[in-house]
Amino acid sequence: MIKELVYRNRSCRRFQEQRRLTKEDLLGLVDLARCTASHRNAQELRFCLVWEKEQCDKVFPLMVFASALGPEGQPREGQRPAAYIAVLGESKSQNYLWADAGLACQSILLGAAEQGLLGCIFGSVKREQIRPVLGLTEADPPVLLVIALGFPDEDFVIEEGALEGSRDYWREGRTHHVPKLALSDIVLERKGE
Ligand SMILES: Cc1cc2nc3c(=O)[nH]c(=O)nc-3n(C[C@H](O)[C@H](O)[C@H](O)COP(=O)(O)O)c2cc1C
């Protein structure tokens, strides 16, 4: 079950934009992040939810989609994300905030995949420009990542990647190909003393 979900949980950037998500849908996903591991259980992440079309339209241009594909990576109108979850956080007490953020994102994305949704984590976000769009005040923490979500409008194939080769993903028609290294490439077989 988890294997199937992880394999299905590809970064999706083209969506059936007309199939909208509700605030309740997004709250259900953030609830999974709420119950996810956190360094020292500090729980310093905060989340902003965007689901209304008008606000989605303002968030969309503030993120860089699939830069490895050039202009082809940019979803067309009608294929843009149906919702966003911004992950915010600032910590004075711990160095593991980004680990917490990654885990929270994965919980959200796996929960989405279970429901037939897909999403994509965005690190390339215009972090200052997105703040007023989200209605954030100076007292609110910085935006770390943004997750785009929706019902997928593209297909995915995991390809065998080569250790020495390119890690770039590519597209053929409506299929997004993503190379992954072999287990034998990533598991280091070393002999301990
Ligand atoms: C921390 C992080 C930041 C990312 N930032 C972006 C981004 O700004 N734009 C984008 O299109 N994809 C982004 N991605 C998605 C990656 O490109 C994607 O994970 C990678 O191509 C592998 O594809 P997969 O998620 O389907 O395995 C990001 C992924 C992670 C984990």
Side-chain angles (χ1 to χ4, degrees):
M1 189 67 178
I2 190 69
K3 179 170 179 177
E4 209 269 315
L5 272 184
V6 170
Y7 274 63
R8 187 164 7 120
N9 177 32
R10 300 276 56 80
S11 289
C12 177
R13 303 173 184 87
R14 292 175 192 220
F15 303 91
Q16 302 167 48
E17 191 177 346
Q18 75 287 357
R19 294 182 69 182
R20 308 302 304 176
L21 273 68
T22 64
K23 182 180 180 184
E24 287 64 39
D25 293 330
L26 300 182
L27 284 171
L29 295 175
V30 173
D31 189 52
L32 302 176
R34 184 178 71 86
C35 293
T36 296
S38 164
H39 178 64
R40 292 190 161 187
N41 207 24
Q43 301 175 76
E44 291 171 311
L45 298 176
R46 299 294 177 264
F47 301 86
C48 278
L49 314 181
V50 179
W51 68 95
E52 285 166 347
K53 171 88 171 74
E54 203 178 311
Q55 204 181 7
C56 285
D57 288 345
K58 291 180 185 163
V59 170
F60 175 76
L62 304 179
M63 306 197 302
V64 179
F65 285 74
S67 56
L69 299 178
E72 176 66 8
Q74 190 82 348
R76 297 187 197 93
E77 224 171 316
Q79 288 191 314
R80 293 175 180 175
Y84 300 91
I85 297 175
V87 183
L88 285 63
E90 187 168 39
S91 180
K92 293 173 184 70
S93 63
Q94 60 141 316
N95 297 321
Y96 293 99
L97 189 70
W98 280 95
D100 281 17
L103 287 165
C105 287
Q106 186 72 349
S107 288
I108 287 169
L109 289 168
L110 290 176
E114 190 186 36
Q115 298 171 41
L117 298 161
L118 283 181
C120 183
I121 301 169
F122 285 82
S124 296
V125 179
K126 292 179 181 154
R127 287 186 172 72
E128 288 315 309
Q129 291 182 41
I130 205 172
R131 293 186 71 80
V133 174
L134 298 175
L136 297 172
T137 68
E138 277 184 16
D140 293 317
V143 174
L144 300 174
L145 298 163
V146 175
I147 306 173
L149 290 159
F151 287 92
D153 199 20
E154 60 180 333
D155 303 316
F156 300 91
V157 178
I158 295 179
E159 303 283 354
E160 219 171 282
L163 199 53
E164 305 304 332
S166 166
R167 311 275 159 85
D168 284 352
Y169 43 82
W170 71 92
R171 286 190 74 78
E172 277 167 347
R174 56 172 278 131
T175 305
H176 183 93
H177 299 258
V178 58
K180 295 291 181 190
L181 298 177
L183 267 181
S184 55
D185 289 330
I186 63 171
V187 177
L188 303 180
E189 301 271 7
R190 306 283 189 258
K191 292 248 185 299
E193 287 175 4

PDB file of all heavy atoms in Angstrom, residues 9-11 13 64-67 120-125 145 169 176 178 180, ligand 1:
ATOM      1  N   ASN A   9       3.195   8.847  -6.163  1.00  0.00           N
ATOM      2  CA  ASN A   9       3.352  10.233  -5.695  1.00  0.00           C
ATOM      3  C   ASN A   9       4.442  10.967  -6.481  1.00  0.00           C
ATOM      4  O   ASN A   9       5.490  11.315  -5.965  1.00  0.00           O
ATOM      5  CB  ASN A   9       3.664  10.226  -4.193  1.00  0.00           C
ATOM      6  CG  ASN A   9       3.911  11.607  -3.658  1.00  0.00           C
ATOM      7  OD1 ASN A   9       3.341  12.584  -4.131  1.00  0.00           O
ATOM      8  ND2 ASN A   9       4.789  11.712  -2.677  1.00  0.00           N
ATOM      9  N   ARG A  10       4.215  11.194  -7.751  1.00  0.00           N
ATOM     10  CA  ARG A  10       5.152  11.935  -8.593  1.00  0.00           C
ATOM     11  C   ARG A  10       4.844  13.431  -8.502  1.00  0.00           C
ATOM     12  O   ARG A  10       3.692  13.825  -8.273  1.00  0.00           O
ATOM     13  CB  ARG A  10       5.048  11.491 -10.067  1.00  0.00           C
ATOM     14  CG  ARG A  10       5.340  10.027 -10.272  1.00  0.00           C
ATOM     15  CD  ARG A  10       6.831   9.719 -10.405  1.00  0.00           C
ATOM     16  NE  ARG A  10       7.700  10.135  -9.352  1.00  0.00           N
ATOM     17  CZ  ARG A  10       7.868   9.467  -8.182  1.00  0.00           C
ATOM     18  NH1 ARG A  10       7.210   8.388  -7.906  1.00  0.00           N
ATOM     19  NH2 ARG A  10       8.724   9.913  -7.284  1.00  0.00           N
ATOM     20  N   SER A  11       5.864  14.251  -8.746  1.00  0.00           N
ATOM     21  CA  SER A  11       5.647  15.700  -8.787  1.00  0.00           C
ATOM     22  C   SER A  11       4.846  16.047 -10.029  1.00  0.00           C
ATOM     23  O   SER A  11       5.334  15.899 -11.154  1.00  0.00           O
ATOM     24  CB  SER A  11       6.990  16.432  -8.813  1.00  0.00           C
ATOM     25  OG  SER A  11       7.616  16.318  -7.565  1.00  0.00           O
ATOM     26  N   ARG A  13       2.633  18.775 -12.296  1.00  0.00           N
ATOM     27  CA  ARG A  13       2.554  20.219 -12.541  1.00  0.00           C
ATOM     28  C   ARG A  13       1.463  20.584 -13.527  1.00  0.00           C
ATOM     29  O   ARG A  13       1.335  21.732 -13.908  1.00  0.00           O
ATOM     30  CB  ARG A  13       3.910  20.730 -13.015  1.00  0.00           C
ATOM     31  CG  ARG A  13       5.049  20.421 -12.038  1.00  0.00           C
ATOM     32  CD  ARG A  13       6.373  20.798 -12.615  1.00  0.00           C
ATOM     33  NE  ARG A  13       7.490  20.427 -11.756  1.00  0.00           N
ATOM     34  CZ  ARG A  13       8.093  19.232 -11.768  1.00  0.00           C
ATOM     35  NH1 ARG A  13       7.669  18.281 -12.573  1.00  0.00           N
ATOM     36  NH2 ARG A  13       9.132  18.989 -10.978  1.00  0.00           N
ATOM     37  N   VAL A  64       8.166  28.918  -9.901  1.00  0.00           N
ATOM     38  CA  VAL A  64       8.857  28.464 -11.115  1.00  0.00           C
ATOM     39  C   VAL A  64       8.543  26.987 -11.331  1.00  0.00           C
ATOM     40  O   VAL A  64       8.908  26.138 -10.512  1.00  0.00           O
ATOM     41  CB  VAL A  64      10.381  28.667 -10.999  1.00  0.00           C
ATOM     42  CG1 VAL A  64      11.072  28.158 -12.250  1.00  0.00           C
ATOM     43  CG2 VAL A  64      10.697  30.133 -10.755  1.00  0.00           C
ATOM     44  N   PHE A  65       7.853  26.695 -12.444  1.00  0.00           N
ATOM     45  CA  PHE A  65       7.452  25.325 -12.753  1.00  0.00           C
ATOM     46  C   PHE A  65       8.506  24.634 -13.611  1.00  0.00           C
ATOM     47  O   PHE A  65       8.853  25.136 -14.689  1.00  0.00           O
ATOM     48  CB  PHE A  65       6.116  25.322 -13.518  1.00  0.00           C
ATOM     49  CG  PHE A  65       4.932  25.621 -12.653  1.00  0.00           C
ATOM     50  CD1 PHE A  65       4.678  26.907 -12.203  1.00  0.00           C
ATOM     51  CD2 PHE A  65       4.068  24.613 -12.268  1.00  0.00           C
ATOM     52  CE1 PHE A  65       3.590  27.183 -11.395  1.00  0.00           C
ATOM     53  CE2 PHE A  65       2.972  24.876 -11.464  1.00  0.00           C
ATOM     54  CZ  PHE A  65       2.728  26.160 -11.023  1.00  0.00           C
ATOM     55  N   ALA A  66       8.972  23.482 -13.173  1.00  0.00           N
ATOM     56  CA  ALA A  66       9.797  22.572 -13.981  1.00  0.00           C
ATOM     57  C   ALA A  66      10.834  23.314 -14.823  1.00  0.00           C
ATOM     58  O   ALA A  66      10.832  23.236 -16.046  1.00  0.00           O
ATOM     59  CB  ALA A  66       8.894  21.720 -14.883  1.00  0.00           C
ATOM     60  N   SER A  67      11.758  23.983 -14.157  1.00  0.00           N
ATOM     61  CA  SER A  67      12.729  24.808 -14.891  1.00  0.00           C
ATOM     62  C   SER A  67      13.554  23.974 -15.878  1.00  0.00           C
ATOM     63  O   SER A  67      13.991  24.491 -16.910  1.00  0.00           O
ATOM     64  CB  SER A  67      13.635  25.556 -13.917  1.00  0.00           C
ATOM     65  OG  SER A  67      14.258  24.639 -13.065  1.00  0.00           O
ATOM     66  N   CYS A 120       2.963  19.080  -6.168  1.00  0.00           N
ATOM     67  CA  CYS A 120       4.395  19.327  -6.371  1.00  0.00           C
ATOM     68  C   CYS A 120       4.863  20.310  -5.304  1.00  0.00           C
ATOM     69  O   CYS A 120       4.170  21.291  -5.010  1.00  0.00           O
ATOM     70  CB  CYS A 120       4.638  19.901  -7.767  1.00  0.00           C
ATOM     71  SG  CYS A 120       6.383  20.147  -8.149  1.00  0.00           S
ATOM     72  N   ILE A 121       6.031  20.027  -4.749  1.00  0.00           N
ATOM     73  CA  ILE A 121       6.652  20.952  -3.797  1.00  0.00           C
ATOM     74  C   ILE A 121       7.386  22.023  -4.592  1.00  0.00           C
ATOM     75  O   ILE A 121       8.099  21.707  -5.543  1.00  0.00           O
ATOM     76  CB  ILE A 121       7.671  20.211  -2.911  1.00  0.00           C
ATOM     77  CG1 ILE A 121       7.002  19.085  -2.130  1.00  0.00           C
ATOM     78  CG2 ILE A 121       8.376  21.174  -1.969  1.00  0.00           C
ATOM     79  CD1 ILE A 121       8.003  18.155  -1.433  1.00  0.00           C
ATOM     80  N   PHE A 122       7.229  23.276  -4.195  1.00  0.00           N
ATOM     81  CA  PHE A 122       7.956  24.370  -4.854  1.00  0.00           C
ATOM     82  C   PHE A 122       8.891  25.051  -3.864  1.00  0.00           C
ATOM     83  O   PHE A 122       8.455  25.616  -2.871  1.00  0.00           O
ATOM     84  CB  PHE A 122       6.978  25.402  -5.445  1.00  0.00           C
ATOM     85  CG  PHE A 122       6.331  24.907  -6.692  1.00  0.00           C
ATOM     86  CD1 PHE A 122       5.238  24.062  -6.629  1.00  0.00           C
ATOM     87  CD2 PHE A 122       6.870  25.233  -7.929  1.00  0.00           C
ATOM     88  CE1 PHE A 122       4.672  23.557  -7.789  1.00  0.00           C
ATOM     89  CE2 PHE A 122       6.308  24.738  -9.093  1.00  0.00           C
ATOM     90  CZ  PHE A 122       5.205  23.896  -9.019  1.00  0.00           C
ATOM     91  N   GLY A 123      10.204  24.960  -4.203  1.00  0.00           N
ATOM     92  CA  GLY A 123      11.193  25.731  -3.460  1.00  0.00           C
ATOM     93  C   GLY A 123      11.433  27.059  -4.157  1.00  0.00           C
ATOM     94  O   GLY A 123      11.783  28.054  -3.524  1.00  0.00           O
ATOM     95  N   SER A 124      11.241  27.056  -5.488  1.00  0.00           N
ATOM     96  CA  SER A 124      11.421  28.300  -6.257  1.00  0.00           C
ATOM     97  C   SER A 124      10.124  29.100  -6.207  1.00  0.00           C
ATOM     98  O   SER A 124       9.232  28.920  -7.032  1.00  0.00           O
ATOM     99  CB  SER A 124      11.767  27.980  -7.713  1.00  0.00           C
ATOM    100  OG  SER A 124      12.996  27.323  -7.777  1.00  0.00           O
ATOM    101  N   VAL A 125      10.058  29.916  -5.179  1.00  0.00           N
ATOM    102  CA  VAL A 125       8.859  30.733  -4.919  1.00  0.00           C
ATOM    103  C   VAL A 125       9.324  32.165  -4.686  1.00  0.00           C
ATOM    104  O   VAL A 125      10.354  32.374  -4.033  1.00  0.00           O
ATOM    105  CB  VAL A 125       8.156  30.233  -3.629  1.00  0.00           C
ATOM    106  CG1 VAL A 125       6.932  31.066  -3.327  1.00  0.00           C
ATOM    107  CG2 VAL A 125       7.807  28.766  -3.731  1.00  0.00           C
ATOM    108  N   LEU A 145       8.237  26.663   1.768  1.00  0.00           N
ATOM    109  CA  LEU A 145       7.896  25.909   0.551  1.00  0.00           C
ATOM    110  C   LEU A 145       6.424  26.118   0.240  1.00  0.00           C
ATOM    111  O   LEU A 145       5.641  26.476   1.132  1.00  0.00           O
ATOM    112  CB  LEU A 145       8.141  24.413   0.773  1.00  0.00           C
ATOM    113  CG  LEU A 145       9.582  23.983   1.078  1.00  0.00           C
ATOM    114  CD1 LEU A 145       9.602  22.574   1.669  1.00  0.00           C
ATOM    115  CD2 LEU A 145      10.438  24.044  -0.182  1.00  0.00           C
ATOM    116  N   TYR A 169      14.552  15.442 -15.663  1.00  0.00           N
ATOM    117  CA  TYR A 169      13.308  14.818 -16.123  1.00  0.00           C
ATOM    118  C   TYR A 169      12.993  15.347 -17.521  1.00  0.00           C
ATOM    119  O   TYR A 169      13.544  16.362 -17.952  1.00  0.00           O
ATOM    120  CB  TYR A 169      12.169  15.124 -15.140  1.00  0.00           C
ATOM    121  CG  TYR A 169      12.120  16.553 -14.657  1.00  0.00           C
ATOM    122  CD1 TYR A 169      11.518  17.553 -15.424  1.00  0.00           C
ATOM    123  CD2 TYR A 169      12.701  16.929 -13.443  1.00  0.00           C
ATOM    124  CE1 TYR A 169      11.471  18.863 -14.999  1.00  0.00           C
ATOM    125  CE2 TYR A 169      12.669  18.249 -13.009  1.00  0.00           C
ATOM    126  CZ  TYR A 169      12.050  19.207 -13.783  1.00  0.00           C
ATOM    127  OH  TYR A 169      12.021  20.507 -13.371  1.00  0.00           O
ATOM    128  N   HIS A 176       5.314  12.591 -18.373  1.00  0.00           N
ATOM    129  CA  HIS A 176       6.483  13.150 -17.693  1.00  0.00           C
ATOM    130  C   HIS A 176       7.361  11.977 -17.256  1.00  0.00           C
ATOM    131  O   HIS A 176       6.897  11.085 -16.544  1.00  0.00           O
ATOM    132  CB  HIS A 176       6.005  13.960 -16.487  1.00  0.00           C
ATOM    133  CG  HIS A 176       7.090  14.639 -15.732  1.00  0.00           C
ATOM    134  ND1 HIS A 176       7.483  15.937 -15.978  1.00  0.00           N
ATOM    135  CD2 HIS A 176       7.878  14.194 -14.724  1.00  0.00           C
ATOM    136  CE1 HIS A 176       8.459  16.260 -15.151  1.00  0.00           C
ATOM    137  NE2 HIS A 176       8.718  15.231 -14.379  1.00  0.00           N
ATOM    138  N   VAL A 178      10.671  10.600 -15.251  1.00  0.00           N
ATOM    139  CA  VAL A 178      11.572  11.036 -14.175  1.00  0.00           C
ATOM    140  C   VAL A 178      12.568   9.920 -13.850  1.00  0.00           C
ATOM    141  O   VAL A 178      12.174   8.819 -13.468  1.00  0.00           O
ATOM    142  CB  VAL A 178      10.765  11.537 -12.942  1.00  0.00           C
ATOM    143  CG1 VAL A 178       9.823  10.489 -12.398  1.00  0.00           C
ATOM    144  CG2 VAL A 178      11.689  12.036 -11.861  1.00  0.00           C
ATOM    145  N   LYS A 180      15.245   7.796 -11.846  1.00  0.00           N
ATOM    146  CA  LYS A 180      15.627   7.511 -10.455  1.00  0.00           C
ATOM    147  C   LYS A 180      16.808   6.548 -10.468  1.00  0.00           C
ATOM    148  O   LYS A 180      16.840   5.595 -11.260  1.00  0.00           O
ATOM    149  CB  LYS A 180      14.455   6.881  -9.695  1.00  0.00           C
ATOM    150  CG  LYS A 180      13.246   7.798  -9.524  1.00  0.00           C
ATOM    151  CD  LYS A 180      13.528   8.952  -8.564  1.00  0.00           C
ATOM    152  CE  LYS A 180      12.295   9.832  -8.393  1.00  0.00           C
ATOM    153  NZ  LYS A 180      12.626  11.092  -7.659  1.00  0.00           N
TER     154      LYS A 180
HETATM  155  C1  LIG B   1      12.532  20.711  -1.749  1.00  0.00           C
HETATM  156  C2  LIG B   1      11.995  20.603  -3.149  1.00  0.00           C
HETATM  157  C3  LIG B   1      11.850  21.745  -3.910  1.00  0.00           C
HETATM  158  C4  LIG B   1      11.321  21.652  -5.207  1.00  0.00           C
HETATM  159  N1  LIG B   1      11.143  22.797  -5.939  1.00  0.00           N
HETATM  160  C5  LIG B   1      10.552  22.714  -7.153  1.00  0.00           C
HETATM  161  C6  LIG B   1      10.272  23.902  -7.886  1.00  0.00           C
HETATM  162  O1  LIG B   1      10.547  25.016  -7.441  1.00  0.00           O
HETATM  163  N2  LIG B   1       9.669  23.789  -9.093  1.00  0.00           N
HETATM  164  C7  LIG B   1       9.315  22.561  -9.610  1.00  0.00           C
HETATM  165  O2  LIG B   1       8.744  22.525 -10.713  1.00  0.00           O
HETATM  166  N3  LIG B   1       9.576  21.399  -8.951  1.00  0.00           N
HETATM  167  C8  LIG B   1      10.185  21.455  -7.735  1.00  0.00           C
HETATM  168  N4  LIG B   1      10.434  20.303  -7.027  1.00  0.00           N
HETATM  169  C9  LIG B   1      10.050  18.997  -7.590  1.00  0.00           C
HETATM  170  C10 LIG B   1      11.276  18.231  -8.101  1.00  0.00           C
HETATM  171  O3  LIG B   1      11.652  18.762  -9.351  1.00  0.00           O
HETATM  172  C11 LIG B   1      10.889  16.744  -8.220  1.00  0.00           C
HETATM  173  O4  LIG B   1      10.761  16.212  -6.932  1.00  0.00           O
HETATM  174  C12 LIG B   1      11.942  15.943  -9.023  1.00  0.00           C
HETATM  175  O5  LIG B   1      11.933  16.331 -10.360  1.00  0.00           O
HETATM  176  C13 LIG B   1      11.698  14.441  -8.950  1.00  0.00           C
HETATM  177  O6  LIG B   1      10.402  14.125  -9.380  1.00  0.00           O
HETATM  178  P1  LIG B   1       9.432  13.291  -8.441  1.00  0.00           P
HETATM  179  O7  LIG B   1       9.025  14.200  -7.292  1.00  0.00           O
HETATM  180  O8  LIG B   1       8.266  12.937  -9.312  1.00  0.00           O
HETATM  181  O9  LIG B   1      10.173  12.112  -7.938  1.00  0.00           O
HETATM  182  C14 LIG B   1      10.961  20.378  -5.740  1.00  0.00           C
HETATM  183  C15 LIG B   1      11.125  19.223  -4.951  1.00  0.00           C
HETATM  184  C16 LIG B   1      11.621  19.336  -3.672  1.00  0.00           C
HETATM  185  C17 LIG B   1      11.751  18.079  -2.838  1.00  0.00           C
END
